[in-house]
Amino acid sequence: MNFRKLSFHLAAIVALLAISALFFAPNAFQGKVLPQPDNDKAVGMRTEILEYLEKDGKAPLWTNSAFAGMPGYQIYSAASGNFTGPVFNALFLWTDYTAVWVQLFLAMLLTYWCLITLRTDWRVALFGAMAYGISTYNVDILEAGHTTKMMALALAPGVFAGLTLLLRRQWLLGGGLTALFIALQVYANHVQITYYTLILSGFYFLAQLFAAVRERGMTDWLKSAGIAALAVGLGFAANTSRLWPTYEYSQETIRGKSELAQKAAKGTGLDKDYLFGWSYGISESLTLMVPHFAGGGAGERFEDTKLYKNVQPQLRGQIGGLFYNGDQPFVGTAIYFGAALLFLFFVGAFLLNNTLRWWLLGSAAFMISLAWGKNFFLNDIWYTTLPFFNKFRAVSMALGPAHWCVAILAALGLQKLMDASVSVEQRRRAVLLGGGISALLCLIALVIGSSSGPNDAMLAQQSPDLFRLLEEDRSSMLRADALRSLAIIALSVGLIWLYLRGALKAAVLVPAIALIALVDSWSICTRTISADKYVTASAAAAPPEMSAADRSIKQDPDIFYRVLDLSRGGITGNAITSYYHKSISGYHAAKLQRFQEVVDTFLSSSLGDNLHIVGMLNGKYLVSQQGEVMRNPKTLGNAWFVQNVRVVPDGNAEIGALHTLNPAEEAVIQQSFAAAAGDLNIRPDSSATIRLTRYHPDKMAYEYSAAGDQIAVFSEIYYPPAKGWKCYLNGNPAPDFFKVNYLLRGMRLPAGQNMKLEMRFEPRSFYLGEKISMAASGILMLALLLGLFLWFRKREELPDPVLLSDVQPTSKSSVDKEKKASAPPKKGKK
């Protein structure tokens, strides 16, 4: 191996490490962390799981910390049967989710490697890596705490590097790397980004198919496609214990099919309005070139604005959200790809003449169009026809993969500018066209940009003077950013023009362009990220302060009750209560369908008329919006016997019956579950008792006594027994529970004294999935190691990392000669 060649790559790695560490300096050097609201909510949701993990050394698979009970798969993964897990930890340098600088570094490192496999100069690859890493999109999701999303985006370039090697007939090594990075991305547990990665991979192979047909290389293409499909399957199989339970769970969530007729008619998947809630505006896409085209985001400070200087000091921290005037409900920051980067993207689009151009152009356009959501007609078609598309919300997330495509095509365009096989005239033409389109976009932003927004009416009415200042600030920020982008484009075009005249060496031009792009994105990102936003690690890890209401409720010696806390937000937007109690509230994108429907029908309004619904969920305490604690007079405890069971025909009748139901005496059951309950003509036993004797999230033990058969109702959320819950009576398997009261468990219990009933959560999808994961990941790692062994055994030389060529200085006469030589012959002359 040539260590001189390797030294260039080592220098690039050191540079990327330094850039990431400096960008997040307080995190990398001082141990401080960014407050990440969504991660804080996730910690709250998994509090109970972590407590039992510390106590038992094993994480439970069910939790009552949130939403009155749910599987913990999407909150905390207990999966361990995966040999790719240690590789995942090593790539992220054995850090946790708070190490944002490591996540950014890996995103840049794998993009650098991908560009090297695409045969770019190491300095060009460094440019592309920095352009992808230092971006407002990444800053936005890292500050928000979307850690799994960032990890999945960081790993995506590894998938494309593997596919590139595979398409170059490095069957075992390319297939092994593709399988590994698919497995790692799935391990990161953000399925939506993996979905987008697979779409881009499909486009890659589709572009290569056209080339294969043209060049009669179908045999190799089919072999590559077959190995790629096998690699993707193996990568998914390595995560069976994550994916299988998640798939089962998704069928019961708001992404599955409802029991209510009106909603069931729409089929499975998210409601269209909910799915397209964060739809990027079509004209708003100009923020990719001019960051303040849509006013900015709530995460910015706006300290230099007139509005900031004229509001009361105590209100200055709240004005950020006023500036945004785009199509989405709100944004943390403007999504800006970079003026220099987009200019080179257009250059690459005109200069490249291969399948990579069409792959990256088509992929970038498709991903941006997905981000438009409800604003683009094709997305309505994708909603109904594209498999799994309707399972994912926040379509603006597609801007992350789009940015990667733009960065790669821009880097390839920069590389092509240094290609001696391309005429100087062709290169000049591409630069003029790319610069012209980029400048035109800046001018369009200036012309159509608006100083008002759709949410301004209230401010305009309440404070006309402040509204006038806001409009002035928006106009001045838009103008400044448009001129700023024009200046960056002009500087980039000027430097490249000097290179094409032979007045500037390629070894100077590429670092100069890279520095311009880096400073450009860095300075825009610092509008959102600043040193004073970081906090100490201990402060970030500390749970929210316990309120007086929390302390009062915690005095209850009962082993299991639930709390409905309205003082910390809505029922589906409050994960803070989960830090201290078994909560009816929570915060998660995948809520159980039945729970959400009961919340929408009964608990979102007129809560006072529906305390019996809270009571049957074992909601013993309510906390008002003012923080006052009230004991629910209609709480029913963990389990109770009912005197009567009413059979109704369907889900609509069942949920409708809850309006007037007295759950202490009667249960409602659908006709489809009636057979499981057996003879419903029970003889009520007023002396019958049932109580919870031992609590564990996965194992709940009850003791009961009854003179005759009884129907018991449990305050636990119904989850199909086939998906995990098993019942045991006096240690022997018992019939499954059935659904009653739309979202609770019911069970027919035989007569007996001091009978022991236990419910255990033992999902086959997880335990069998662990074995499949171990086997698949073992095969994957063996295949990869064999591929690496064969590659090293061949002792192939590393590709030359220095791939730049200079343009010889030209006089005016030589330029004229080149133009004449490249001009088409005149008619009638040979």
Side-chain angles (χ1 to χ4, degrees), residues 345-346 348-350 356-366 405 409:
F345 169 77
F346 293 125
F350 287 112
L356 293 176
R357 170 173 68 175
W358 300 116
W359 167 45
L360 294 167
L361 261 179
S363 295
F366 182 74
C405 295
L409 184 52

Side-chain angles (χ1 to χ4, degrees), residues 17 87-96 99 101-102 105-106:
L17 265 172
V87 180
F88 181 93
N89 294 331
L91 284 173
F92 287 100
L93 305 183
W94 298 276
T95 58
D96 64 10
W101 76 274
V102 173
F105 165 67
L106 185 64

Side-chain angles (χ1 to χ4, degrees), residues 151-207:
M151 288 178 168
L153 285 169
L155 291 162
V159 175
F160 302 119
L163 291 175
T164 300
L165 294 174
L166 180 57
L167 287 162
R168 295 215 181 110
R169 302 176 62 190
Q170 296 190 40
W171 313 120
L172 195 56
L173 181 60
L177 287 169
T178 302
L180 173 66
F181 280 98
I182 286 290
L184 294 176
Q185 198 184 51
V186 175
Y187 190 90
N189 200 28
H190 200 289
V191 183
Q192 188 168 352
I193 294 299
T194 302
Y195 179 71
Y196 292 155
T197 301
L198 292 177
I199 290 176
L200 296 186
S201 301
F203 286 166
Y204 195 4
F205 269 87
L206 184 62

Side-chain angles (χ1 to χ4, degrees), residues 134-147:
I134 307 299
S135 74
T136 61
Y137 185 83
N138 292 338
V139 164
D140 190 33
I141 62 176
L142 285 170
E143 186 180 25
H146 300 170
T147 303

